[in-house]
Amino acid sequence: MTETQSRGNRKERIGHVVRNSGDKTISVSVERHVRHPLYGKEMRVSRRFLVHDEDNAAKVGDKVRIMETRPVSRRKRWRLVDVVGGDTEPRQ
């Protein structure tokens, strides 16, 4: 790659850590709001991502920012950018 080429825009999400899956791995739940196609009601839809946490910095309940990256393992395609905040709201 030359200096003028860039890697492109990588996706970023903000979510909550729901599980400390193992060494250098966390499970992050990302919530988004979608409108039901027929009834029009707004619903909360969540999805879990396995995230690479190199320094084991995040704990369960932390609000974190994650970024898409190259595959680290079979299911890990995201990495931790930073911990945005602590446990501010109760998670289920």
Side-chain angles (χ1 to χ4, degrees):
M1 265 185 355
T2 64
E3 292 179 35
T4 57
Q5 291 177 339
S6 66
R7 293 178 180 239
N9 294 335
R10 294 181 177 183
K11 297 175 190 167
E12 279 198 4
R13 304 280 188 263
I14 294 180
H16 286 88
V17 179
V18 292
R19 187 170 170 219
N20 196 349
S21 303
D23 188 32
K24 299 185 180 183
T25 303
I26 56 175
S27 183
V28 176
S29 178
V30 175
E31 244 180 38
R32 62 189 179 97
H33 296 276
V34 294
R35 190 167 293 279
H36 191 280
L38 178 61
Y39 299 113
K41 180 177 180 175
E42 193 146 315
M43 305 178 302
R44 287 188 306 184
V45 179
S46 64
R47 177 152 180 221
R48 285 190 179 184
F49 297 100
L50 285 183
V51 178
H52 184 68
D53 180 9
E54 183 65 36
D55 302 325
N56 289 320
K59 301 183 297 290
V60 174
D62 285 347
K63 190 174 184 181
V64 294
R65 178 179 289 118
I66 61 176
M67 178 185 285
E68 194 174 34
T69 186
R70 64 179 176 80
V72 179
S73 67
R74 181 179 154 210
R75 291 182 54 211
K76 279 201 295 189
R77 271 97 174 113
W78 295 79
R79 66 179 167 87
L80 179 71
V81 176
D82 63 339
V83 178
V84 178
D87 190 11
T88 56
E89 57 185 66
R91 304 304 299 169
Q92 298 172 359

